[in-house]
Amino acid sequence: MEKKPSKKKFAVEAGESISDCLDRMAKEGYTPVRRMEEPVFHEVKRNGRLEPEVKEQRIVFEGKLIK
C-alpha cells in the first residue's frame, strides 16, 4: 500500500465549485484545515514598461490526512 503525505494542497480548478473541490479532498482521504487565496499575476505593458497586474484570485485548501 502506498503511503500518502500527511498534508496536501488542493486548488479549486476552473469551472469547479468550492464544494466540488472539498468533495475531491474527501475522496482522497483529506479534511480541510486551512483556506488560502493566492493572487495570479500577469504582465501588462504600460507606458513602455512591463508591470505586474492581478489577473485572478486562486482558492487553495490545505488538507490533512484523515487517520
Side-chain angles (χ1 to χ4, degrees):
M1 186 168 141
E2 184 179 321
K3 185 175 180 183
K4 293 183 181 181
S6 63
K7 288 185 180 180
K8 186 175 176 182
K9 290 186 178 181
F10 294 85
V12 177
E13 304 295 333
E16 181 182 42
S17 68
I18 293 174
S19 62
D20 291 339
C21 182
L22 294 174
D23 291 340
R24 184 166 40 98
M25 288 177 70
K27 285 180 186 175
E28 291 188 33
Y30 290 88
T31 185
V33 292
R34 187 167 120 184
R35 174 186 164 151
M36 300 169 281
E37 292 192 22
E38 301 173 346
V40 177
F41 293 96
H42 71 283
E43 293 181 336
V44 177
K45 193 169 191 176
R46 286 195 192 124
N47 301 326
R49 294 178 36 193
L50 286 176
E51 296 181 5
E53 183 177 276
V54 177
K55 181 179 178 184
E56 63 182 89
Q57 288 288 107
R58 180 180 300 151
I59 300 172
V60 179
F61 289 98
E62 185 176 293
K64 185 176 179 184
L65 188 61
I66 301 171
K67 295 183 180 185

